[in-house]
Amino acid sequence: MTSSAHGHPSAFPKPGHNHARCTSDALRRAEAVCASRKVRLTEIRRRVLEAVWQSHVPVGAYDILSQLNAGGGRTAPMQIYRALEFLMDNGLVHRIASLNAFIGCAHMGEDNHAAQFLICRSCGTTAELESAPLKRALIQAVAERGFTIDSQIVEISGFCPHCTPKGRT
Amino acid sequence: MTSSAHGHPSAFPKPGHNHARCTSDALRRAEAVCASRKVRLTEIRRRVLEAVWQSHVPVGAYDILSQLNAGGGRTAPMQIYRALEFLMDNGLVHRIASLNAFIGCAHMGEDNHAAQFLICRSCGTTAELESAPLKRALIQAVAERGFTIDSQIVEISGFCPHCTPKGRT
DNA sequence: CGTATAATGTTATGTTATAACATTTACAAG
DNA sequence: CTTGTAAATGTTATAACATAACATTATACG
């Protein structure tokens, strides 16, 4: 089970969940992925990954920077971006283009998975959506137009189940 | 017929098409939309719209700025962003989040249409994809997770039909 | 051990976007 | 036509996001 909030695999992260577990799970899996790919999860990369996993809300590069430098550090932006690049290259982190921010990958190790994201306008919580029908429809629609797909960004903004006023759907 | 390149409605803009016609069509339609919405397509807004329509390749705000200032103008970035905001609010222009760039809307006047984009990695040409099945699959997948959709970004990067090597699909 | 490669450190700068406030313009009510 | 007001524009400054270029240090492997 690879859910990001210990519920049903496709459940949206719940407000009160034990997030420490998300973080520790993520770090353990990241170690495993890096070991199997024979790449190094160095100190700074690990710290950036931890920062990204502080919550299910995407975090900006400069927010990560502030955190790392909170105790008087001298890390430079470049170093953060390099660590993020590494983490993205290895499928550990995703970039949310509409927010210029980054979020931990909920499906580490599943090579090359193309993710879709649900972004709550109210609480900021962002979850991955893995919908096979959606993926199929997308591939189909693109192919019909003679386009060769390379990569895709799907970011859906709205209200998560916990922020949706009752009665609405 | 609202195609962006005078072919089949869903055709990808062709390299050699008469683009002057795209531009003039777009400006005419924009006038109509603004008239019907009782908003003003002022000088700067019109010039920004023209700049956006110079091609089917998304253009950055600062590129627009350079163009407007080419003849010794003194327009400031803020003015460009304000014009772009107006054009987006009125459905005349779209923002491509993955490129931090802007492109003319191929479906002006169709209120609130949620667009998907095909972005060619080779020539940069970007076209709108209006796929009903894709839209349905997306709404369905999102609803299943109890999420209330508000807006969506779908940007697909790859090779357009004119840049796809023969034999591949 | 030494050397090649990967990773990190450092400085500077490029690029995208907005805040805040001043001025001008359009337009309608009196 | 003139005056109030809302919309639009002009202007300055700065915030926020990202990368280039080069120096230094660490790792690992022959």
Side-chain angles (χ1 to χ4, degrees):
Chain A
M1 199 272 279
T2 62
S3 164
S4 43
H6 328 306
H8 180 271
S10 69
F12 209 86
K14 290 196 178 63
H17 74 275
N18 177 5
H19 186 65
R21 191 168 137 196
C22 297
T23 307
S24 60
D25 279 3
L27 289 170
R28 245 190 314 99
R29 301 210 61 188
E31 303 272 17
V33 167
C34 288
S36 95
R37 298 183 64 137
K38 302 198 199 312
V39 294
R40 295 168 51 212
L41 187 61
T42 60
E43 176 65 14
I44 194 169
R45 290 168 179 172
R46 188 194 176 86
R47 294 215 291 155
V48 168
L49 184 60
E50 275 173 5
V52 163
W53 271 100
Q54 277 192 336
S55 77
H56 293 278
V57 179
V59 59
Y62 280 75
D63 292 336
I64 297 172
L65 184 63
S66 305
Q67 283 185 222
L68 294 212
N69 285 344
R74 315 180 154 284
T75 308
M78 190 68 247
Q79 299 174 258
I80 305 294
Y81 281 103
R82 278 201 290 233
L84 287 169
E85 185 183 25
F86 168 88
L87 294 168
M88 287 191 291
D89 286 349
N90 289 284
L92 305 176
V93 159
H94 292 290
R95 179 165 197 276
I96 306 296
S98 58
L99 302 175
N100 293 328
F102 304 84
I103 192 162
C105 174
H107 302 87
M108 291 182 191
E110 297 171 25
D111 248 25
N112 233 333
H113 83 112
Q116 298 100 42
F117 298 94
L118 299 177
I119 306 168
C120 182
R121 271 179 58 187
S122 172
C123 66
T125 299
T126 295
E128 287 190 36
L129 173 65
E130 276 285 347
S131 167
L134 173 53
K135 211 167 288 188
R136 274 197 301 275
L138 197 144
I139 289 167
Q140 169 75 13
V142 171
E144 272 170 11
R145 274 142 185 96
F147 197 89
T148 305
I149 193 167
D150 186 75
S151 68
Q152 45 121 322
I153 292 175
V154 178
E155 296 174 12
I156 296 157
S157 180
F159 293 98
C160 78
H162 315 299
C163 293
T164 301
K166 311 290 185 183
R168 297 173 58 189
T169 311
Chain B
M1 199 269 282
T2 62
S3 164
S4 44
H6 327 307
H8 180 270
S10 68
F12 209 87
K14 289 196 180 61
H17 74 275
N18 177 4
H19 186 66
R21 191 168 139 198
C22 296
T23 307
S24 60
D25 280 3
L27 288 171
R28 245 190 315 97
R29 302 210 60 190
E31 303 271 17
V33 167
C34 288
S36 95
R37 298 183 64 137
K38 302 197 201 313
V39 295
R40 297 166 52 213
L41 188 60
T42 59
E43 176 65 14
I44 192 166
R45 290 167 178 172
R46 189 193 176 84
R47 294 215 291 153
V48 168
L49 184 61
E50 275 173 7
V52 163
W53 272 100
Q54 278 192 334
S55 77
H56 294 279
V57 178
V59 59
Y62 280 76
D63 292 336
I64 298 171
L65 183 63
S66 305
Q67 283 185 221
L68 294 213
N69 285 344
R74 314 181 154 283
T75 310
M78 189 69 245
Q79 299 172 258
I80 305 295
Y81 281 103
R82 277 200 291 233
L84 287 168
E85 184 183 26
F86 168 88
L87 294 168
M88 286 191 291
D89 287 349
N90 289 284
L92 306 176
V93 158
H94 293 288
R95 179 167 198 275
I96 306 296
S98 58
L99 300 175
N100 294 327
F102 304 84
I103 191 161
C105 176
H107 301 88
M108 290 182 192
E110 298 170 25
D111 246 25
N112 233 333
H113 84 110
Q116 299 100 43
F117 299 94
L118 299 177
I119 307 168
C120 182
R121 272 179 58 186
S122 171
C123 65
T125 298
T126 296
E128 288 190 36
L129 172 66
E130 276 284 347
S131 167
L134 173 52
K135 211 168 287 188
R136 275 197 301 275
L138 197 144
I139 289 168
Q140 169 75 14
V142 170
E144 273 171 10
R145 274 139 184 99
F147 197 89
T148 305
I149 193 166
D150 185 76
S151 69
Q152 44 121 320
I153 292 174
V154 178
E155 296 173 13
I156 297 157
S157 181
F159 293 98
C160 79
H162 315 299
C163 293
T164 300
K166 311 289 185 185
R168 297 173 58 188
T169 312

